[in-house]
Amino acid sequence: MNHPIIDETHDTARQSWVEAAQDHADFPIQNLPLGIFSREGQTPRGGIAIGDMILDLPSLTLTGLLKGEALDAASTGMNKTLNALLALGPAPRGALRRQISALLEKNSPHRREIEPLLVPMADARMHMPAFVPDYTDFYAGIHHATNIGKLFRPDNPLLPNYKHVPIGYHGRASTIRASGAPVTRPSGQTRAPDAQAPSFGPVKRLDYELELGVWMASGNALGQPIPIADALDHVAGLTLLNDWSARDVQAWEYQPLGPFLAKNFLTTVSPWIVTMEALAPFRRRQPPRAKGDPRPLPYLWDDSDQRRGALALDLEAYLSSVKMREAGMAPLRLSHGPASNMYWTIAQMVAHHASNGCQLQTGDLLGTGTISGPDDGSRGSLMEITRNGKQPVSLPTGETRTFLEDGDELMLSGRFVAEGAIPIGFGPCIGTVQPALTAPASR
Amino acid sequence: MNHPIIDETHDTARQSWVEAAQDHADFPIQNLPLGIFSREGQTPRGGIAIGDMILDLPSLTLTGLLKGEALDAASTGMNKTLNALLALGPAPRGALRRQISALLEKNSPHRREIEPLLVPMADARMHMPAFVPDYTDFYAGIHHATNIGKLFRPDNPLLPNYKHVPIGYHGRASTIRASGAPVTRPSGQTRAPDAQAPSFGPVKRLDYELELGVWMASGNALGQPIPIADALDHVAGLTLLNDWSARDVQAWEYQPLGPFLAKNFLTTVSPWIVTMEALAPFRRRQPPRAKGDPRPLPYLWDDSDQRRGALALDLEAYLSSVKMREAGMAPLRLSHGPASNMYWTIAQMVAHHASNGCQLQTGDLLGTGTISGPDDGSRGSLMEITRNGKQPVSLPTGETRTFLEDGDELMLSGRFVAEGAIPIGFGPCIGTVQPALTAPASR
């Protein structure tokens, strides 16, 4: 099951009787991502996105149209999280996809029974798709690691372990929220470069980080590694992830144990899980290592994975200030680049994480780390774009930005694009910066 | 409620009708710690330790002897974790303590009704006391930070942020286990100092770290800091914590984002939570900062806390090898020192953690970081004791140790001792090292 088959659900000719699914940027019938939604006064439940609608999974189970594993999978949609569905693994997830694709397909004889089960996205609120037992953030974007390294060590930006170890660290599971959650500017302890003593107050260098999130379908028993050849069987799908960061806190706190309060005030994910089945047509051979780069150790090396460890996925970040929105201006694209800028594959991250026996669990979220490209225009954080605040970005209003200001709206976007496949996307991953709760310059 | 009153439950003259509670090193009637236990074939449930017995909380609720808040608190003992009990906070926890202390007291008229509800510890298995949503490890042991720093930076062992910031980082919640869980030697990627390339195999520098664990009773809403004056109201109690560490993995992986696989294969805690009420007589004025040390920023400074932020608590670590156990020898004490070697108080750690709005939750576990003293004999890890493997420890069998070997049993112990109070303790925190699952020298 490492490589879900490209089957009739991916047919470029397949269309849905849901009108808005035709040419939908994110949710054509070829996508069918999983999420948790609620209508006003309803408890959250499982759903599948199609165009501008959500198919209500618990209601679908009552129609008698789903069979076997697909029915088992949809029945978990009565829960407030997708953990039980994710835990079922690839086969029931694939069966659910195939049966729902057939029901939503233009020539389905069941349109009349399904249509009443569709909820307009405009009437629904999206929630976190799953409970997250543990959250880990990797550092797989080699150009990000290089860009950040250059700011501190111009002659030797990449550390000696980078091309051997998929570097990662533990993040905070309790502060992950679905797209739209307010980004309250945190306060923190910082020391200005010219100051003798640190002070406490609202952070001044609030930043975003453009990442992918990886949802674990199933884990491993404590002490039992996950072989790399099996790693993707443990993955349910992907989302966009914004690892909001307070650079001024980070600079002062991170030695010697890594980022802590600089990152754990909020992490935002797009609420729809694009499944491994949906993204099968977009898996690509991993770009070859640069000449002289080490071959990964055997526990991180799998030829079949390396053949298809990369993703044909374009990533973007957009900023709009209050003034831009008031003037009706389009958001400014801050960055644009391919996900192939990851040095380590998702399978390598999973295998590395469990290589010491560390227990992964259903619903665990892995961040890839910031995905930047090698060039201007493809840098996945303001710290990189503005060279740590030295080269401000100009907005179409004449405003400038070094870091995020109150009222700024930051949106991540990702689109799988490949020849011979209908493009699919994640839907938005948005956050708007709110002023700090109390704003003493220093307490 | 910041400072639970020293009341009749702490009376030095108070004795229990449970014989073994008299002069019990850990569990006299003055302690009454909370835990989760099971008998064979039973589901886990809440209990309170008294001497060598466990008082079964669910059964106690059926006697009609508990009233009001104490009954509410005990009723949560039907759950498999103490999270619901912890979430009730200090007042019900204190009421439960007072009513149970009265029932177990020598002159209680209810001995006949309570005695059948006692389960011998020898017949019970202890479990994790609570589900841990998130685990954070601090670095509050200043002599540990100095000792480790000296190994790498002899002239400047403490980093500039140490005396301003209670340094911490996120650990792995999924791999925390109660005392007794096997310590399977992990495998990992390491690079020997003389090697060109890294290799993968069983770690060679397996170490322990002597820490305290802090159990959170209640947390905070996302975005809402916890003022330091309120911080201890959010704490339920303490345990011992062993932060097992693979030093060879740590040295190779930790730059730039901190420890990851070097630490997340296992963390062991003592299974009984010694409550804030039980340790009230052992709270002490925090030792004054050394001359020239900075005064903490206001968000980390509370006079009332500083008066009683330290603990009259002796901590020890013991090692016994297979040969020592076969020869019937007593374990070797590796270290012994007071918990007052923490530079930051528990209240400071909690207030700092939430100062950026990071959401803490019931059941969250905070490690203090390794607590070492300034002298030989009080160092809380083998890395410190053996100067990173350069000065082996001699065992009474003639064996030597630089780091832990397969079969070694490592035990942490902690005892609250103060004039005018009956000493109390945590019970053991033990782990025995098991061979790596598969042992290729390098794959």
Side-chain angles (χ1 to χ4, degrees):
Chain A
M1 274 307 299
N2 232 340
H3 304 137
I5 300 158
I6 298 176
D7 59 18
E8 74 281 3
T9 64
H10 302 98
D11 277 356
T12 54
R14 178 166 287 212
Q15 296 205 326
S16 173
W17 49 258
V18 177
E19 287 303 324
Q22 267 51 273
D23 305 318
H24 195 282
D26 294 316
F27 307 131
I29 192 170
Q30 287 78 8
N31 193 349
L32 304 179
L34 304 165
I36 293 286
F37 75 100
S38 66
R39 292 209 271 188
E40 193 156 341
Q42 253 190 4
T43 53
R45 51 175 61 194
I48 283 193
I50 174 77
D52 55 357
M53 308 293 273
I54 302 171
L55 176 57
D56 180 309
L57 282 182
S59 301
L60 181 61
T61 62
L62 305 176
T63 60
L65 293 170
L66 292 179
K67 310 290 178 200
E69 285 184 315
L71 179 59
D72 297 342
S75 299
T76 63
M78 281 177 291
N79 302 326
K80 290 184 195 170
T81 70
L82 293 176
N83 294 69
L85 198 165
L86 301 187
L88 294 174
R93 202 172 62 223
L96 182 65
R97 170 185 174 81
R98 283 190 302 278
Q99 292 188 29
I100 288 183
S101 178
L103 292 170
L104 293 172
E105 199 270 319
K106 203 152 230 166
N107 301 317
S108 165
H110 299 291
R111 174 173 178 169
R112 281 219 181 152
E113 296 148 275
I114 302 296
E115 206 154 19
L117 313 181
L118 295 176
V119 176
M121 283 185 182
D123 296 348
R125 187 182 146 209
M126 296 305 299
H127 301 266
M128 277 290 286
F131 167 75
V132 181
D134 274 294
Y135 164 48
T136 296
D137 203 14
F138 282 90
Y139 200 49
I142 188 168
H143 301 297
H144 171 71
T146 305
N147 291 340
I148 298 289
K150 269 183 191 158
L151 294 172
F152 299 110
R153 299 173 303 275
D155 297 334
N156 185 25
L158 269 191
L159 291 166
N161 57 12
Y162 189 85
K163 291 182 174 178
H164 298 277
V165 181
I167 295 290
Y169 70 106
H170 296 298
R172 182 85 192 171
S174 71
T175 54
I176 305 171
R177 294 292 185 275
S179 177
V183 186
T184 305
R185 180 180 296 276
S187 288
Q189 187 182 140
T190 59
R191 195 179 69 172
D194 53 348
Q196 271 295 316
S199 60
F200 184 89
V203 305
K204 299 194 175 88
R205 298 185 159 223
L206 184 61
D207 201 355
Y208 74 96
E209 289 195 341
L210 168 52
E211 305 194 12
L212 286 174
V214 178
W215 288 99
M216 295 302 296
S218 57
N220 56 312
L222 179 61
Q224 298 286 345
I226 297 174
I228 188 162
D230 301 344
L232 292 187
D233 287 344
H234 293 258
V235 172
L238 306 182
T239 55
L240 296 166
L241 186 151
N242 188 338
D243 178 24
W244 305 99
S245 300
R247 302 298 180 192
D248 38 1
V249 172
Q250 192 174 352
W252 176 230
E253 77 169 2
Y254 93 105
Q255 291 279 20
L257 299 179
F260 181 48
L261 299 191
K263 302 272 196 174
N264 68 10
F265 57 93
L266 188 71
T267 303
T268 302
V269 292
S270 57
W272 292 104
I273 301 180
V274 174
T275 64
M276 292 306 282
E277 290 72 34
L279 58 80
F282 306 97
R283 292 181 59 192
R284 288 291 175 269
R285 191 184 168 81
Q286 179 78 349
R289 292 285 195 240
K291 216 173 164 177
D293 275 10
R295 182 185 167 95
L297 285 169
Y299 81 100
L300 292 175
W301 187 256
D302 173 50
D303 270 331
S304 62
D305 169 66
Q306 292 308 310
R307 272 206 315 277
R308 306 222 294 148
L311 296 167
L313 169 60
D314 284 327
L315 297 166
E316 297 172 304
Y318 292 89
L319 175 71
S320 76
S321 68
V322 173
K323 281 192 185 167
M324 287 169 67
R325 297 200 296 283
E326 284 171 355
M329 291 172 174
L332 174 72
R333 188 162 77 178
L334 290 177
S335 67
H336 175 215
S340 55
N341 284 317
M342 292 198 290
Y343 191 81
W344 298 102
T345 67
I346 291 165
Q348 286 170 327
M349 292 181 228
V350 170
H352 182 66
H353 203 324
S355 65
N356 68 343
C358 178
Q359 184 177 27
L360 305 184
Q361 296 180 102
T362 297
D364 279 350
L365 185 64
L366 315 182
T368 57
T370 309
I371 304 175
S372 293
D375 311 313
D376 279 353
S378 65
R379 296 166 194 268
S381 69
L382 281 166
M383 188 182 191
E384 294 166 79
I385 293 169
T386 69
R387 310 299 193 274
N388 204 16
K390 293 195 183 105
Q391 301 178 16
V393 173
S394 294
L395 309 188
T397 48
E399 300 170 283
T400 60
R401 285 293 179 275
T402 49
F403 292 96
L404 296 171
E405 299 197 0
D406 291 351
D408 284 355
E409 181 181 278
L410 198 292
M411 184 181 83
L412 306 182
S413 170
R415 201 165 149 83
F416 293 88
V417 180
E419 218 184 292
I422 300 291
I424 61 174
F426 293 103
C429 181
I430 294 182
T432 305
V433 179
Q434 312 290 329
L437 273 196
T438 55
S442 147
R443 292 201 332 207
Chain B
M1 274 306 301
N2 233 339
H3 304 135
I5 300 156
I6 298 176
D7 59 19
E8 74 282 4
T9 65
H10 301 98
D11 276 355
T12 55
R14 178 165 287 212
Q15 296 206 325
S16 173
W17 48 258
V18 178
E19 286 303 324
Q22 267 50 274
D23 305 318
H24 195 282
D26 293 316
F27 308 130
I29 193 170
Q30 287 77 10
N31 193 349
L32 303 178
L34 304 165
I36 293 286
F37 75 101
S38 66
R39 291 211 272 187
E40 192 156 342
Q42 252 188 6
T43 52
R45 53 175 59 194
I48 282 191
I50 175 76
D52 55 357
M53 308 294 272
I54 303 171
L55 176 56
D56 180 309
L57 282 182
S59 301
L60 181 60
T61 61
L62 306 176
T63 60
L65 293 171
L66 292 180
K67 309 289 177 201
E69 285 185 312
L71 179 59
D72 297 340
S75 299
T76 64
M78 280 177 290
N79 301 327
K80 291 182 193 173
T81 70
L82 293 176
N83 294 69
L85 199 163
L86 301 186
L88 294 174
R93 203 173 61 223
L96 182 66
R97 170 185 173 82
R98 283 189 302 277
Q99 291 188 30
I100 287 183
S101 177
L103 292 170
L104 293 172
E105 199 269 320
K106 200 153 231 166
N107 301 316
S108 165
H110 300 290
R111 174 175 179 167
R112 282 221 182 152
E113 296 148 275
I114 302 296
E115 205 153 21
L117 312 182
L118 295 177
V119 176
M121 283 185 183
D123 297 348
R125 186 180 147 211
M126 296 305 297
H127 301 265
M128 278 289 288
F131 166 75
V132 181
D134 275 294
Y135 163 49
T136 297
D137 202 14
F138 282 89
Y139 201 51
I142 188 168
H143 302 297
H144 171 71
T146 306
N147 292 340
I148 296 290
K150 269 184 192 160
L151 293 173
F152 299 108
R153 299 173 303 273
D155 297 335
N156 186 24
L158 269 191
L159 290 168
N161 56 12
Y162 189 86
K163 291 182 174 178
H164 298 277
V165 181
I167 294 290
Y169 70 107
H170 296 297
R172 182 86 192 171
S174 71
T175 55
I176 304 171
R177 293 292 183 276
S179 177
V183 187
T184 305
R185 180 181 298 275
S187 289
Q189 186 181 144
T190 59
R191 195 179 70 171
D194 52 350
Q196 270 297 317
S199 61
F200 184 89
V203 306
K204 299 195 174 88
R205 298 186 159 223
L206 184 62
D207 201 356
Y208 73 97
E209 289 195 340
L210 169 53
E211 306 194 10
L212 286 174
V214 178
W215 288 99
M216 296 302 296
S218 58
N220 55 310
L222 178 62
Q224 297 286 347
I226 298 174
I228 190 162
D230 300 344
L232 292 185
D233 287 343
H234 292 259
V235 173
L238 306 182
T239 56
L240 296 166
L241 186 150
N242 187 337
D243 177 24
W244 305 98
S245 300
R247 301 298 181 193
D248 37 2
V249 173
Q250 192 175 353
W252 175 230
E253 76 167 5
Y254 92 105
Q255 290 279 21
L257 299 180
F260 182 48
L261 300 189
K263 302 272 197 174
N264 67 9
F265 57 93
L266 189 72
T267 302
T268 303
V269 293
S270 57
W272 292 104
I273 301 179
V274 174
T275 64
M276 293 304 284
E277 291 72 33
L279 58 79
F282 307 97
R283 293 180 58 191
R284 288 291 175 273
R285 190 184 169 81
Q286 178 78 349
R289 292 286 194 238
K291 213 172 168 180
D293 275 9
R295 183 185 167 96
L297 286 168
Y299 81 100
L300 293 174
W301 188 255
D302 173 52
D303 272 333
S304 60
D305 169 66
Q306 293 307 310
R307 273 205 316 275
R308 306 221 296 145
L311 297 167
L313 168 60
D314 285 326
L315 297 165
E316 295 173 305
Y318 291 89
L319 175 72
S320 76
S321 68
V322 173
K323 281 191 185 168
M324 287 168 68
R325 298 201 294 282
E326 284 172 355
M329 292 172 173
L332 174 71
R333 188 162 77 179
L334 290 177
S335 67
H336 176 216
S340 55
N341 284 316
M342 292 197 291
Y343 191 81
W344 297 102
T345 66
I346 292 166
Q348 285 170 326
M349 292 180 230
V350 170
H352 182 65
H353 203 324
S355 65
N356 67 343
C358 178
Q359 184 177 27
L360 305 183
Q361 296 179 102
T362 297
D364 279 349
L365 185 64
L366 315 182
T368 57
T370 309
I371 304 174
S372 294
D375 310 313
D376 281 350
S378 64
R379 295 167 195 265
S381 69
L382 280 167
M383 188 181 190
E384 294 166 80
I385 293 169
T386 69
R387 309 300 193 272
N388 204 17
K390 293 198 183 101
Q391 300 178 16
V393 174
S394 295
L395 308 188
T397 48
E399 300 170 282
T400 60
R401 286 292 180 274
T402 49
F403 291 96
L404 296 172
E405 299 197 359
D406 292 351
D408 284 356
E409 182 180 279
L410 197 291
M411 186 180 85
L412 306 183
S413 170
R415 203 166 147 82
F416 294 88
V417 180
E419 218 183 291
I422 300 291
I424 62 173
F426 293 102
C429 181
I430 293 182
T432 306
V433 180
Q434 314 289 328
L437 273 197
T438 54
S442 145
R443 290 199 336 202

